[in-house]
Amino acid sequence: MSVEAREARQPWILLSPALTAVGLLLFVPLLFIVVYSFWLRTASGADQVGFYLDNWNEALTDAFYRDILLNTLKIAVITTIVCALMGYPSAYFIARSKGNKPLLLLLLMLPFWISYIIRTMSWINILGVSGALNTLLLWLGIIDEPIQMLYNETTVILGLVHYLLPFMVLNVFVSLDGIDTTLEDAANSLGATRWQAFTQVTLPLSLPGLAAGSLLCFVLGAGTYITPLVLGGPTDAMFANLVFEAIITQLNWPLGSALSLMLLVVLGLLVMIYNRYLGMAQLMKGLG
Amino acid sequence: MMAPLGWQLIRGWAILVYLFMFLPVAVVVLLSFNASQFGSFPMTGFSFRWFVELWNNDAILRAFQTSMILGALTAVISTTLGVLASLALVRYRVPGANAVTTMLIAPILVPEVVLAVALLLFLNFLGINKSFTLLLFGHVIFTLPFVILVVQARLVSIRRDVEEAAMSLGASPMQTFFQITLPLMMPAVLAGGLFAFTISFDDITGTLFWKPGGVETVPTQIFAMLRNSISPEINALGTVMIFLTVGLPLLGAAIARKISNKGGT
């Protein structure tokens, strides 16, 4: 074998274990559930192999699934907007701060390292019937008995925002930090006000970071089922909860496959649109 | 300088956001030292009793052990796969490198619930039921993209001429790799491994699908305990987790910095 041929083969030898793992543990399983979604769960509990459209028919036409899907998207949109409103100014503050930037960023990223389930349940300590807020309000005499603030859609969104905000801050920070600050000075010297300089120079330049952060918040938020289980009420199920119900509780795996694929297509479309217009590079900058 | 008023508003807003992020966590730590037998306010005194109870709780200790073993194995496998793939992508001109990278990070582009369902159903079809093996496969595939992103970012900064110098002085490719490349890569490898461990240790979304009955990791154990009511024991466990997951990466970063400092400038 020539030296060139060996040189050309080497990277593939290094890549093969990882590519094999992703192929066998992700791509083949995804294809497999496409097939599985056309099988049928019979009354006896066995899966009937074949080509049945029943699961898809149920998943796509039943108003129950449609409503929960729409509600899931609504929750994800609100979460993303709140993350942007809270995260953008914070990232701006860190990026333009005269102080210790890495420390400020590290501080805001620390919760990112703290366990998701701990952070989610920590809100029970704050908003629960005997939580910090009720205790404070009682002590101040504003209320006479504890109010139930937990287990509704608002607390689900609150939990999601607390979970996802670091993703937004990091992505916006990365793109703000890469903007030459003399551009703003130039705009100012040409007669623009601070606000104009921000809205016409800095904000447009930081949009890729805002878009990357928003995509992450939306996709991760729309795919969660733990937060509604911990902070939501009985009627606050999100779409991933339906998947969990079908697979783990009802053991209806063909239907669960169809529901999973629905979620994948809806969120995948979004990722693809993003990739088409903005590319994956920005997203990786924020993750790496 | 920014207009003082605007800047002050931004700073005030940022401080509120910092508080929002930290207050709930601080309350968990505070309540874990609460002497009261209910896991809530008011604080009745300072006590370590919940940590002692934690230590005597077999279910939690077992969950801890499972999480540690699972995290360590995940880190070793995921880092090995990830470092090899990153070396290929950084050191060689791979045709279609972009497509390869997208494929390798696909596990984080797919919603974790969908990944969990697909893997569970497929491996079950192959005869691998819910088991530790399934958990391990799941955690490896889910952490691999993070390892690749972290290691790749660090690898880019290692210069190639040191290796070329070693080779020109007569070192074999093997010697060069183990005596030059690997030591230089060590901070990247450690960072990747630590990242994989932390993500595995923290995972609950996929774990709930993959874990066999009776086996719990720390997050699923906490989740199961939440079903009853919030007890000070959960807060104590939370405090331990907070110190572990925040302390370990900080320690790792410190070690990595020390190693890279020692490695010369």
Side-chain angles (χ1 to χ4, degrees):
Chain A
M1 193 189 295
S2 69
V3 178
E4 290 81 36
R6 198 181 305 153
E7 181 82 353
R9 233 179 49 163
Q10 256 166 1
W12 295 106
I13 295 173
L14 292 172
L15 280 169
S16 58
L19 283 176
T20 309
V22 176
L24 284 181
L25 301 178
L26 179 69
F27 289 108
V28 177
L30 282 179
L31 289 177
F32 179 74
I33 61 167
V34 174
V35 176
Y36 214 134
S37 69
F38 291 104
W39 295 3
L40 202 59
R41 168 103 180 149
T42 58
S44 68
D47 291 327
Q48 177 81 42
V49 177
F51 188 79
Y52 301 94
L53 293 172
D54 302 45
N55 303 309
W56 284 105
N57 196 24
E58 186 179 344
L60 293 173
T61 58
D62 195 328
F64 175 69
Y65 296 117
R66 189 198 55 215
D67 291 348
I68 292 191
L69 180 62
L70 289 177
N71 200 44
T72 300
L73 297 179
K74 186 192 84 184
I75 290 177
V77 167
I78 298 176
T79 302
T80 307
I81 293 174
V82 175
C83 280
L85 290 178
M86 291 178 75
Y88 193 98
S90 312
Y92 188 90
F93 168 72
I94 299 172
R96 294 284 180 271
S97 158
K98 298 268 184 296
N100 191 341
K101 264 196 261 181
L103 183 71
L104 285 172
L105 187 65
L106 181 75
L107 265 181
L108 208 53
M109 295 315 291
L110 269 190
F112 179 75
W113 288 102
I114 296 170
S115 163
Y116 163 49
I117 185 78
I118 298 284
R119 279 196 286 151
T120 307
M121 75 92 183
S122 70
W123 285 99
I124 300 176
N125 287 327
I126 305 281
L127 299 175
V129 171
S130 51
L133 195 55
N134 265 316
T135 310
L136 182 72
L137 290 175
L138 281 172
W139 183 73
L140 289 173
I142 296 173
I143 53 174
D144 296 325
E145 51 188 77
I147 26 179
Q148 181 56 275
M149 295 177 257
L150 272 177
Y151 311 123
N152 52 55
E153 198 172 281
T154 312
T155 48
V156 172
I157 293 171
L158 187 75
L160 285 176
V161 169
H162 195 237
Y163 160 49
L164 296 169
L165 190 59
F167 291 96
M168 179 65 84
V169 173
L170 186 63
N171 277 283
V172 175
F173 172 80
V174 167
S175 88
L176 278 175
D177 202 43
I179 299 173
D180 192 343
T181 49
T182 54
L183 283 176
E184 258 179 73
D185 296 338
N188 287 324
S189 72
L190 291 171
T193 64
R194 299 269 162 199
W195 179 246
Q196 281 175 323
F198 172 74
T199 54
Q200 292 179 25
V201 178
T202 312
L203 184 62
L205 285 173
S206 66
L207 281 184
L210 188 61
S214 300
L215 181 78
L216 279 175
C217 287
F218 187 91
V219 171
L220 290 172
T224 182
Y225 66 94
I226 301 289
T227 308
L229 283 179
V230 176
L231 294 177
T235 58
D236 294 317
M238 289 172 69
F239 201 77
N241 291 82
L242 300 180
V243 174
F244 187 76
E245 277 291 304
I247 297 283
I248 300 294
T249 317
Q250 300 164 8
L251 292 172
N252 189 342
W253 288 8
L255 178 65
S257 299
L259 293 174
S260 305
L261 289 168
M262 253 174 92
L263 189 65
L264 178 65
V265 168
V266 171
L267 298 183
L269 269 178
L270 217 86
V271 175
M272 271 197 250
I273 294 172
Y274 175 88
N275 186 34
R276 171 81 180 67
Y277 290 103
L278 293 157
M280 281 294 145
Q282 181 70 37
L283 206 59
M284 305 220 192
K285 244 192 276 172
L287 283 169
Chain B
M1 276 298 283
M2 184 92 183
L5 179 66
W7 182 245
Q8 268 168 21
L9 279 176
I10 289 171
R11 188 168 57 188
W13 185 250
I15 290 171
L16 287 180
V17 170
Y18 275 85
L19 281 177
F20 170 79
M21 291 310 288
F22 277 98
L23 262 187
V25 177
V27 168
V28 169
V29 177
L30 185 70
L31 284 178
S32 67
F33 294 104
N34 191 358
S36 143
Q37 58 172 308
F38 309 105
S40 57
F41 289 98
M43 296 281 295
T44 54
F46 183 87
S47 153
F48 281 108
R49 63 184 276 203
W50 301 112
F51 292 93
V52 177
E53 298 230 346
L54 209 59
W55 186 248
N56 293 325
N57 187 327
D58 283 337
I60 289 174
L61 287 185
R62 263 201 314 278
F64 214 85
Q65 199 180 11
T66 308
S67 280
M68 287 300 241
I69 297 172
L70 182 60
L73 286 174
T74 302
V76 170
I77 299 174
S78 209
T79 310
T80 310
L81 297 181
V83 166
L84 292 179
S86 305
L87 268 175
L89 289 168
V90 174
R91 286 302 167 83
Y92 296 88
R93 202 177 310 204
V94 184
N98 270 335
V100 171
T101 309
T102 307
M103 255 188 89
L104 288 176
I105 63 158
I108 45 176
L109 298 178
V110 172
E112 199 184 344
V113 182
V114 181
L115 169 78
V117 170
L119 192 65
L120 170 70
L121 268 49
F122 179 63
L123 289 188
N124 192 75
F125 178 72
L126 294 184
I128 302 172
N129 295 320
K130 288 188 181 186
S131 59
F132 189 81
T133 316
L134 177 58
L135 267 178
L136 185 58
F137 278 142
H139 280 217
V140 165
I141 203 64
F142 178 60
T143 52
L144 184 59
F146 293 101
V147 173
I148 290 178
L149 288 172
V150 170
V151 173
Q152 238 183 315
R154 305 284 186 286
L155 264 188
V156 176
S157 63
I158 297 178
R159 288 164 54 194
R160 233 187 147 168
D161 40 9
V162 192
E163 287 165 42
E164 278 157 10
M167 301 267 248
S168 73
L169 289 171
S172 70
M174 272 297 184
Q175 279 176 317
T176 311
F177 181 78
F178 282 106
Q179 293 183 16
I180 306 290
T181 318
L182 195 60
L184 282 175
M185 271 170 43
M186 234 24 212
V189 174
L190 284 179
L194 212 60
F195 210 26
F197 180 87
T198 317
I199 293 169
S200 160
F201 199 89
D202 187 27
D203 183 73
I204 180 164
T205 303
T207 306
L208 273 186
F209 279 90
W210 300 321
K211 78 178 185 67
V215 172
E216 303 284 355
T217 63
V218 176
T220 66
Q221 176 70 30
I222 295 174
F223 183 69
M225 286 162 77
L226 279 175
R227 286 282 156 114
N228 306 320
S229 71
I230 189 154
S231 76
E233 234 178 332
I234 302 186
N235 286 322
L237 185 54
T239 303
V240 173
M241 291 270 281
I242 290 167
F243 282 105
L244 261 181
T245 48
V246 172
L248 270 183
L250 287 182
L251 188 74
I255 292 173
R257 185 169 301 164
K258 199 149 202 180
I259 291 175
S260 62
N261 279 351
K262 218 165 51 187
T265 48

